[in-house]
Amino acid sequence: MASDQVALMHALGNDRFAVAGHDRGGRLAHRMALDHPNTVERIAVIDIAPTATMYARTDKEFATRYFGGSF
């Protein structure tokens, strides 16, 4: 998805740009900056939980509360 966003920005005539993302968008922005360091000029990542920590601490109760609130 990050590469799709970069392709869109290039199609719109933007060779370098800033990107900001929140929550899951923060993960996308982070991936974009890692994969396209010459394209992403600046990055702002807001409210992103560390993935490895979340997976390590997830149990049935957490998963039920977290995903149950998404619907």
Side-chain angles (χ1 to χ4, degrees), residues 57-71:
R57 295 181 182 175
T58 296
D59 59 11
K60 183 179 177 181
E61 180 184 350
F62 171 80
T64 301
R65 283 185 285 124
Y66 184 79
F67 293 106
S70 300
F71 304 105

Side-chain angles (χ1 to χ4, degrees), residues 8-31:
L8 174 64
M9 292 299 282
H10 286 171
L12 294 172
N14 300 292
D15 294 327
R16 291 184 50 78
F17 52 87
V19 62
H22 172 263
D23 196 22
R24 291 182 184 121
R27 294 185 194 285
L28 184 128
H30 182 237
R31 183 78 262 164

Side-chain angles (χ1 to χ4, degrees), residues 21-44:
H22 172 263
D23 196 22
R24 291 182 184 121
R27 294 185 194 285
L28 184 128
H30 182 237
R31 183 78 262 164
M32 186 185 298
L34 290 174
D35 292 347
H36 305 277
N38 296 324
T39 299
V40 176
E41 202 169 71
R42 292 182 185 96
I43 181 175

